[in-house]
């Protein structure tokens, strides 16, 4: 292993590879900061430009985009409540309220340093446990995926900041939205009133509408109130010591993010939601109501898990050739174009590829951290623009991001509709978080429940016949029951 790392360092520090790494980081930052443009889209757009590059340069560039896009997605989520990627939506829960009370600089610094720490810890886990974790992920069948979705949906008990009933209404609304489109088992059409809905309601435009565009309407309603974020800049100084009070959250979220990321299909969004829920549950009872209202611990939990999931998704890709996320699937395409086959033999036939990825992640971290921290004053100064101008800019970005997700004007219409829905839901104190939770997990829960029923001959006991599923379902029961037990104790 040491020899492979030495060779990889020599390869990565070649001028052409370092240039590819820098290009990937810059492109990733731009993609991550643009609501609606995910890392998978950015990687897919850049793959044609890698045809003439050597394998190391091409793969390093794509991995840099992957990591930097997830790294930067929290910036617009914190500043203007417009998540750059679905996983960053959780960062907006507490990051944006911090911005509203003049702590944008603090929130951004915590976000960037948390991302770096989570990415570094997960990178160590990737190097040490990639093959073992990937083998464990292969044990997941329909029953395990269903149980994982149930565990995620059970977090509604801790994600709700106000009325649990209103949060449940939002969750059910999201689950209804998921049923639109093609039946995952029978292939029949459900609630398809237009051919554009055959594939269901697109997730990213709906997310942009619920979070960003609804916030545009709120900003226009407030008028030209001056932002107080300038005071936040004066108080915020980049320092790793700022993470020390959240050290337990950092360690816990790093392991959660990596473990969830290694499960194919789970993704960073689920990792962030699970990490956020555990952080809230692990906090003192007196502090739990502050989550969703500007608690820095919520930002740290989300950002650490979000970035730790990147390395987690690479583990099954490199060890078994199974993509752990959409971006990892695009990366498999990049490897295939270079004539490489991801999987166990990659470590035998082309060890320079996986070890170059490890080294590029290590080298790219300080570069991305420096860009993020040095840019904090610039990011925060953007919030001094009058709210009306910001609303106009964010609305334009929302439309551009929605259209860019599939180059289809129907996506823009979906964004506008969900923006209006999100605005009225906010007026009755229904937060978008439960809806996003349902959109992320609803399809996984339904499709895997029905597959499990087919395998188990319509016997519900099949769901509790597998050890991993039992553990996950018991975790969901504990999450749901813990608030009730807490009330009984009090």
């Amino acid at each position: 292993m040491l020899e492979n790392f030495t060779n990889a360092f020599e390869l990565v520090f070649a001028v052409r590879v370092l240039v590819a790494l820098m290009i990937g980081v810059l492109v990733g930052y731009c993609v991550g900061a643009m609501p609606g443009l995910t890392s998978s889209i950015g990687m897919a757009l850049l793959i044609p430009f890698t045809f003439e590059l050597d394998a190391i340069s091409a793969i390093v560039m794509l991995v840099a985009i992957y990591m930097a896009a997830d790294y930067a997605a929290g910036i617009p989520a914190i500043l203007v409540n417009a998540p750059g990627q679905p996983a960053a939506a959780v960062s907006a829960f507490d990051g944006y309220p911090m911005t509203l009370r003049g702590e944008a600089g603090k929130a951004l610094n915590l976000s960037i340093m948390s991302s770096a720490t989570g990415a570094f810890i997960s990178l160590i886990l990737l190097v040490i446990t990639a093959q073992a974790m990937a083998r464990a992920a292969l044990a997941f069948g329909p029953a395990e995926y269903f149980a994982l979705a149930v565990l995620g949906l059970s977090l509604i008990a801790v994600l709700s900041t106000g009325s649990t009933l209103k949060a449940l209404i939002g969750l059910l609304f999201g689950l209804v939205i998921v049923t639109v489109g093609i039946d995952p088992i029978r292939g029949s059409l459900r609630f398809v009133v237009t051919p554009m809905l055959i594939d269901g309601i697109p997730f990213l435009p709906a997310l942009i509408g619920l979070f960003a565009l609804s916030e545009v309407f709120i900003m226009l309603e407030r008028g030209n109130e001056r932002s107080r974020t300038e005071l936040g800049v004066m108080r915020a100084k980049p320092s790793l010591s700022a993470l020390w009070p959240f050290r337990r959250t950092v360690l816990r979220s790093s392991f959660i993010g990596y473990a969830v990321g290694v499960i194919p299909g789970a993704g960073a969004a689920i990792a962030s939601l699970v990490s956020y829920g555990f952080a809230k549950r692990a906090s003192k009872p007196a502090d739990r109501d502050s989550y969703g209202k500007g608690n820095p611990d919520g930002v740290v939990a989300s950002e650490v898990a979000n970035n730790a999931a990147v390395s987690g998704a690479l583990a099954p890709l490199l060890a078994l050739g199974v993509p752990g996320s959409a971006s990892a699937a695009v990366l498999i395409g990049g490897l295939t174009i270079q004539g490489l086959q991801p999987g166990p033999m990659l470590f035998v036939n082309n060890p320079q590829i996986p070890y170059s990825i490890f080294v590029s992640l290590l080298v790219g971290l300080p570069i991305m951290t420096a860009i993020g921290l040095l840019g904090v004053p610039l990011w925060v100064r953007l919030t001094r623009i009058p709210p009306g101008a910001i609303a106009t800019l964010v609305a334009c970005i929302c439309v551009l991001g929605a259209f860019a997700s599939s180059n289809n004007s129907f996506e823009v219409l979906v964004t506008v509709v969900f923006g209006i829905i999100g605005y009225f839901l906010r007026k009755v104190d229904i937060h978008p978080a439960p809806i996003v939770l349902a959109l992320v997990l609803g399809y996984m829960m339904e499709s895997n429940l029905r597959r499990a029923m087919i395998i188990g001959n319509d016997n519900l006991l099949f769901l509790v016949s597998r050890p991993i599923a039992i553990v996950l379902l018991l975790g969901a029961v504990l999450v749901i029951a813990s608030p009730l037990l807490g009330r009984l104790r009090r």
Side-chain angles (χ1 to χ4, degrees):
M1 178 181 289
L2 183 60
E3 181 182 354
N4 287 327
F5 266 112
T6 303
N7 294 335
F9 268 101
E10 294 177 359
L11 292 171
V12 170
F13 277 93
V15 174
R16 67 183 186 283
V17 180
L18 287 177
V19 170
L21 177 64
M22 286 299 301
I23 292 174
V25 168
L26 294 175
V27 171
Y29 252 97
C30 294
V31 169
M34 180 73 71
L37 294 182
T38 64
S39 55
S40 58
I41 294 175
M43 293 166 67
L45 290 175
L46 227 67
I47 278 184
F49 296 95
T50 66
F51 292 162
E52 300 300 325
L53 298 177
D54 62 278
I56 300 295
S57 300
I59 300 306
V60 165
M61 181 187 292
L62 294 176
V63 171
I65 295 174
Y66 186 10
M67 184 169 59
D70 280 18
Y71 208 80
I75 293 174
I78 290 171
L79 292 182
V80 292
N81 203 27
Q85 301 201 61
V90 185
S91 302
F93 294 172
D94 290 280
Y96 186 63
M98 290 180 68
T99 295
L100 292 180
R101 67 173 183 238
E103 297 179 351
K106 178 181 178 181
L108 283 176
N109 280 322
L110 283 175
S111 167
I112 293 166
M113 289 185 292
S114 299
S115 298
T117 307
F120 179 73
I121 295 175
S122 65
L123 174 58
I124 296 175
L125 294 174
L126 173 63
V127 174
I128 296 174
T129 65
Q131 297 186 27
M133 291 289 288
R135 290 193 194 98
L138 282 183
F140 272 64
E144 286 80 7
Y145 277 113
F146 168 75
L148 178 64
V150 171
L151 175 62
L153 290 176
S154 69
L155 293 175
I156 186 65
V158 294
L159 286 178
S160 55
T161 56
S163 169
T164 303
L165 176 61
K166 291 182 178 180
L168 182 60
I169 292 173
L171 183 71
L172 293 176
F173 174 67
L175 291 176
V176 170
I177 293 173
V178 174
T179 62
V180 176
I182 299 177
D183 186 292
I185 303 299
R186 297 181 179 178
S188 57
L189 299 182
R190 304 183 300 188
F191 309 112
V192 178
V193 295
T194 170
M196 304 301 295
L197 290 176
I198 289 179
D199 293 328
I201 294 177
F203 176 70
L204 274 176
L207 177 68
I208 293 172
L210 286 171
F211 273 90
L213 199 58
S214 64
E215 183 61 31
V216 168
F217 299 143
I218 297 293
M219 292 169 68
L220 293 175
E221 189 178 47
R222 291 196 195 109
N224 287 322
E225 297 177 2
R226 296 298 298 175
S227 172
R228 295 183 295 157
T229 55
E230 186 171 354
L231 295 175
V233 181
M234 301 301 294
R235 291 195 297 267
K237 294 182 179 180
S239 172
L240 285 175
S241 61
L243 279 181
W244 183 250
F246 311 102
R247 56 192 179 277
R248 293 181 180 176
T249 300
V250 169
L251 289 174
R252 179 178 59 248
S253 299
S254 296
F255 284 96
I256 290 175
Y258 183 80
V260 174
V262 80
I263 301 171
I270 296 178
S272 295
L273 286 166
V274 173
S275 175
Y276 186 86
F278 273 99
K280 184 174 180 179
R281 180 52 49 202
S283 65
K284 297 179 180 178
D287 295 335
R288 289 174 189 167
D289 289 340
S290 65
Y291 282 81
K293 300 177 182 178
N295 191 321
D297 192 57
V299 177
V300 173
S302 169
E303 288 296 309
V304 170
N306 178 12
N307 287 270
V310 173
S311 294
L314 292 177
L317 183 152
L318 296 174
L320 299 164
V322 178
S325 66
S327 300
V330 176
L331 186 56
I332 283 184
L335 287 166
T336 305
I337 289 172
Q338 296 294 329
L340 302 168
Q341 182 60 45
M345 296 307 295
L346 186 65
F347 286 86
V348 178
N349 299 330
N350 304 98
Q352 72 276 12
I353 298 297
Y355 284 95
S356 293
I357 291 176
F358 298 156
V359 173
S360 67
L361 290 172
L362 183 62
V363 174
L365 275 176
I367 297 174
M368 287 185 291
T369 305
I371 293 175
L373 291 177
L374 292 175
V376 165
L378 174 61
W379 313 136
V380 179
R381 285 192 182 95
L382 294 177
T383 63
R384 300 178 190 171
I385 303 172
I390 294 177
T392 303
L393 177 62
V394 172
C396 293
I397 293 174
C398 290
V399 173
L400 177 62
F403 183 79
S405 63
S406 66
N407 293 328
N408 193 326
S409 58
F410 178 74
E411 315 284 349
V412 178
L413 177 61
V414 171
T415 299
V416 173
V417 170
F418 275 85
I420 296 172
I421 292 174
Y423 169 75
F424 284 108
L425 289 177
R426 285 174 181 237
K427 299 297 286 185
V428 295
D429 295 326
I430 297 179
H431 197 271
I435 304 175
V436 173
L437 188 67
L439 292 178
V440 170
L441 298 174
Y443 182 83
M444 177 194 294
M445 184 179 72
E446 180 197 7
S447 60
N448 285 287
L449 172 62
R450 295 174 64 184
R451 291 190 184 104
M453 290 295 94
I454 293 173
I455 296 173
N457 295 320
D458 295 329
N459 187 354
L460 283 173
L461 293 178
F462 176 75
L463 296 173
V464 293
S465 64
R466 299 172 68 88
I468 297 177
I470 293 174
V471 172
L472 293 173
L473 289 174
L474 286 176
V477 171
L478 290 175
V479 170
I480 294 173
S482 56
L484 299 177
L485 295 175
R487 293 190 184 99
L488 289 175
R489 283 198 304 268
R490 289 193 293 272

